[in-house]
Amino acid sequence: MSVTTRDSCGATAATGRTGGDRDPAIFGIRGLAALALLTVHVAMFSGLLGTKALGAPRPPSNFLGGFFVSGLPSFIGVFFVLPALYLYLPLARAIIAGRPRPPQGATMVRRLMRLLPAYYLMYLVVLVALNRDAIDGPWYVLRPLLLLQIYSPSPFAPHFINGMEVSWTVPSMVQWYLALPLIAWASHRFAARGATPVARARRLLLPVPVLIAIGVGWLFFVKGNGWDNRMVFWWPQGFAPTIGIGLGLAVLLALAQVSPGDTPRLLRFAALRPGLFWVAAVVVYLVNCARPFSVIGMDAIYSTSGLFMTYLMVALFGLFASLPLVSPGAARTRVVDAVLTARPVVHLGRVSYGVYLWHFAVMHFYLQPGAVFSGAVRPIRELYGTAGFWELETVTLLGAVLLATLSHRLVEQPLAARVDDLLARRRRPTPRPPALLRAPLLATATVEVLSGPQAGAAVAAAVTDRDAIQANLVDLERHLDRHLLAAAELTGESARRWAAARTDLAQLWTVYHAYSAVVDEAVRPFAGPGQPSAAELARVSALLDQASVVVTGPPPPLSRRRITDDGRVELTVAGAVARMDELFRGVAEVVTAAEAVWETAGARLDRIDAALARGADDGTVPQPQAQRVERLRAAVRTDPLARWRDGAVVTDDLDDLLDSLEHLVA
């Protein structure tokens, strides 16, 4: 059993990153999952895992190796939970915020273009190289093109195509791509009746137990009818439980972004104690290694209870491994972070979809190279045990990564960029009036009324911008060091700058709420059936073009005040975004500067403490030195920004002190 998918690169992550700027740890966990599943399949056909599928049972070639490989299918959960989370998050966020659901047409095109071109390229290669003599008619060729190969003519004998033995997950995930917006549509009316974001989020969680029940029911249906075990996972409903977990996490995360004060306890706990969730994921993996109700070291789970335990382990691993990565403001676990953000692991995660697509083909090419030219290709199960595990693992990994990287660079990225460019052109009004780039207009200024398509595209762009702004604001609010600054007894430079930053942060939220209200008003004519009237289009055009964002508050400090200032500011939508960007950058600079100082200076102080401890035994370090270190630590804690100069942390005095202490100890 195996699976991987490419999640929507345009979806906003919990961290506020989007697209290529996603948290590298997300790619890292995908990279480890891709490596785990490749290793499982290599173990299956090298003989490291035993099998009952070839007549007489064959035990694993190495019991200890078979034990640890038996647990690796747990990583499957990552490949369904995370894509479901990212795909459903914008829909859940809109519903919980009481806004219309974002249009899905362009998003669906992007998702499919990130999934299908690489799949079709791989299919064309293996069709010609490994299956040309098996073609018995047009339907043989068309079934994989139409993504119908998972619907086997006989559930008792699943149909395999050489080199595409695990390709069943592509049609399965495409169908889930189509299903998630339908689930949101079906849930919207019921969820919208909630009076508060919390109430709407609770109602929006209704599909989660339904999906889990569908998946478990499908397992018992397949086993009850005596179908092949693979049919449990081939059809889309097989992974409904993990999709349900991803959907549930999307709802919880959306609630945290829409209403930070209502952040669910599960996300808060995961943010504070990420290490516990990583430990839980390791425990799930080890339990799966033991194969409860099944046989350790064998390549399939043959009993109903064994399959059910695998269901449970896959779902729990996906949950535990995802929560520390997506919870807002989650603290970093150093060891885990070092592994997940290592460059080879991140690269493997970026091309993990290609690794999934190509690794069976690579095994075929290596185990029967002459068959590519002769056409006499044997099914891979007949090649069981013809190569050792480490030999086949090395060749398959290197070959799959090479082909996946070439596909990513030469096919997937160029096509995705081209599609993004075409969709962006369609979204852009033609021609777009330059008024949005001007300073706030006078009330008597003439507004160019947008046509229906132009207004729709402009409103959709404003909603997308608003969602991105909100995600980044929540990320800033949940940042651990922002909370540390707010809780610390600051002095000196840090107290002054944090007081100013706190004022700017309050103003930032004030501008955001006024700006968001204008965007909501612009969306309203497009929320109902039918097209907006001419009067509504004129109103939308004025909202987007004129100074419609009204911010009220106390006037600026006397040193920056003009004689006419009364605390009321009128901005265009573009002007509000520019003002928020200015405020955001200022606050973020203070927070990240404090973070850099605490991390860098704290590391120096830790080394100094270690030197003091070594010198305490023989009395080589005088007491005044120890007192000086304590004063320095207190200064770093209460006034970190005093050490921030020209974008760098000043540690000269700490370095000198460390050198002198180490010299004394030596």
Side-chain angles (χ1 to χ4, degrees):
M1 131 178 84
S2 61
V3 62
T4 186
T5 69
R6 167 157 307 172
D7 56 326
S8 173
C9 291
T12 304
T15 57
R17 298 173 176 89
T18 58
D21 193 33
R22 178 159 297 166
D23 186 348
I26 296 292
F27 290 108
I29 193 66
R30 287 167 54 91
L32 292 183
L35 178 61
L37 297 179
L38 180 147
T39 301
V40 169
H41 296 139
V42 169
M44 284 181 179
F45 300 105
S46 66
L48 179 62
L49 285 177
T51 184
K52 296 181 181 180
L54 302 176
R58 302 188 184 186
S61 61
N62 182 291
F63 180 82
L64 189 61
F67 173 83
F68 286 110
V69 171
S70 293
L72 293 180
S74 305
F75 281 84
I76 295 171
V78 170
F79 283 127
F80 275 101
V81 169
L82 285 176
L85 186 157
Y86 288 132
L87 295 175
Y88 201 72
L89 181 60
L91 299 168
R93 191 163 50 222
I95 295 171
I96 292 173
R99 302 194 304 267
R101 298 185 310 279
Q104 290 296 293
T107 302
M108 191 63 62
V109 171
R110 287 191 179 94
R111 293 171 186 167
L112 295 178
M113 288 303 297
R114 283 163 171 78
L115 200 68
L116 295 180
Y119 164 78
Y120 286 134
L121 173 64
M122 182 275 301
Y123 170 60
L124 178 63
V125 171
V126 299
L127 179 68
V128 174
L130 301 174
N131 298 281
R132 60 182 183 274
D133 288 355
I135 298 175
D136 56 5
W139 186 237
Y140 183 95
V141 177
L142 289 176
R143 283 178 69 215
L145 288 175
L146 299 175
L147 305 178
L148 296 176
Q149 72 269 30
I150 60 174
Y151 301 109
S152 174
S154 170
F156 301 99
H159 178 67
F160 293 102
I161 301 173
N162 292 326
M164 296 182 66
E165 287 84 351
V166 294
S167 65
W168 51 270
T169 52
V170 176
S172 180
M173 185 49 69
V174 166
Q175 290 173 62
W176 279 115
Y177 279 0
L178 300 174
L180 288 174
L182 294 178
I183 292 173
W185 171 80
S187 308
H188 191 174
R189 180 165 299 192
F190 173 70
R193 295 175 185 169
T196 64
V198 173
R200 291 191 286 271
R202 287 174 180 167
R203 288 169 172 254
L204 206 54
L205 288 171
L206 177 63
V208 175
V210 175
L211 289 171
I212 293 174
I214 288 173
V216 174
W218 172 247
L219 183 154
F220 286 99
F221 178 81
V222 170
K223 294 298 292 184
N225 284 278
W227 292 4
D228 189 282
N229 286 332
R230 298 176 185 88
M231 299 308 297
V232 173
F233 305 101
W234 274 38
W235 287 29
Q237 57 266 42
F239 277 97
T242 47
I243 292 291
I245 287 176
L247 186 152
L249 288 180
V251 173
L252 298 182
L253 189 55
L255 175 60
Q257 294 179 352
V258 171
S259 181
D262 295 318
T263 299
R265 292 181 180 178
L266 180 63
L267 296 185
R268 293 180 187 271
F269 186 67
L272 292 174
R273 297 287 186 271
L276 293 180
F277 287 84
W278 291 119
V279 170
V282 172
V283 170
V284 168
Y285 159 71
L286 292 174
V287 170
N288 209 28
C289 287
R291 288 287 174 90
F293 306 107
S294 187
V295 182
I296 296 174
M298 302 300 281
D299 67 353
I301 302 93
Y302 300 98
S303 66
T304 302
S305 55
L307 282 169
F308 179 78
M309 284 300 299
T310 299
Y311 249 32
L312 182 62
M313 295 300 101
V314 167
L316 289 178
F317 188 91
L319 174 66
F320 293 145
S322 301
L323 270 169
L325 298 177
V326 303
S327 296
R332 289 294 194 184
T333 307
R334 289 189 178 182
V335 175
V336 175
D337 198 49
V339 172
L340 295 184
T341 58
R343 293 184 64 181
V345 178
V346 172
H347 176 73
L348 186 60
R350 291 185 186 276
V351 300
S352 59
Y353 179 56
V355 171
Y356 151 72
L357 288 176
W358 287 102
H359 72 276
F360 260 92
V362 171
M363 283 195 285
H364 275 283
F365 295 148
Y366 181 70
L367 294 176
Q368 46 182 344
V372 175
F373 301 100
S374 67
V377 180
R378 298 160 60 191
I380 198 166
R381 59 183 290 179
E382 297 181 10
L383 306 173
Y384 179 88
T386 57
F389 170 75
W390 288 112
E391 172 192 351
L392 190 58
E393 173 82 357
T394 302
V395 171
T396 304
L397 179 60
L398 293 178
V401 170
L402 175 61
L403 292 174
T405 302
L406 291 175
S407 173
H408 185 68
R409 298 278 174 84
L410 302 179
V411 177
E412 300 166 54
Q413 280 187 327
L415 279 177
R418 178 62 176 164
V419 169
D420 286 344
D421 183 59
L422 291 175
L423 292 174
R425 290 182 184 179
R426 290 189 61 186
R427 283 179 54 186
R428 238 176 259 137
T430 54
R432 186 65 178 266
L436 284 178
L437 302 177
R438 297 201 302 263
L441 302 178
L442 297 174
T444 57
T446 301
V447 177
E448 181 175 342
V449 178
L450 302 174
S451 65
Q454 288 177 330
V459 169
V463 170
T464 301
D465 290 344
R466 190 262 303 277
D467 289 346
I469 291 169
Q470 184 184 56
N472 282 296
L473 286 178
V474 171
D475 192 32
L476 178 60
E477 282 284 357
R478 292 299 180 196
H479 197 287
L480 177 63
D481 290 282
R482 190 201 74 78
H483 289 283
L484 291 176
L485 283 168
E489 296 181 2
L490 299 175
T491 60
E493 176 78 1
S494 300
R496 183 186 63 79
R497 292 189 62 184
W498 176 241
R502 193 167 51 201
T503 301
D504 287 347
L505 185 59
Q507 186 181 6
L508 176 56
W509 277 107
T510 301
V511 176
Y512 169 77
H513 288 307
Y515 154 83
S516 183
V518 170
V519 174
D520 284 340
E521 188 174 352
V523 168
R524 198 167 294 118
F526 297 89
Q531 297 297 319
S533 64
E536 288 174 326
L537 289 175
R539 175 63 177 162
V540 169
S541 302
L543 287 171
L544 297 178
D545 186 71
Q546 288 192 306
S548 53
V549 180
V550 180
V551 181
T552 58
L558 192 60
S559 60
R560 302 203 307 259
R561 193 180 306 173
R562 296 182 179 180
I563 194 67
T564 57
D565 283 341
D566 60 356
R568 176 186 172 94
V569 179
E570 298 179 359
L571 302 168
T572 63
V573 168
V577 172
R579 178 59 178 153
M580 286 188 287
D581 184 63
E582 177 186 358
L583 294 169
F584 179 85
R585 289 174 182 273
V587 177
E589 180 185 0
V590 172
V591 173
T592 54
E595 177 184 26
V597 172
W598 280 331
E599 182 175 345
T600 304
R604 300 288 200 287
L605 288 166
D606 289 343
R607 292 176 59 189
I608 290 171
D609 286 341
L612 286 172
R614 291 196 302 271
D617 296 335
D618 53 14
T620 55
V621 177
Q623 185 65 22
Q625 290 284 52
Q627 295 172 350
R628 180 188 176 194
V629 171
E630 197 57 39
R631 289 194 300 270
L632 286 171
R633 184 177 291 280
V636 169
R637 184 173 58 252
T638 60
D639 192 8
L641 298 182
R643 291 185 173 273
W644 185 255
R645 292 291 180 271
D646 300 324
V649 182
V650 177
T651 60
D652 295 344
D653 57 336
L654 298 178
D655 294 334
D656 292 341
L657 177 58
L658 179 61
D659 291 341
S660 65
L661 287 174
E662 290 181 340
H663 178 71
L664 285 173
V665 172

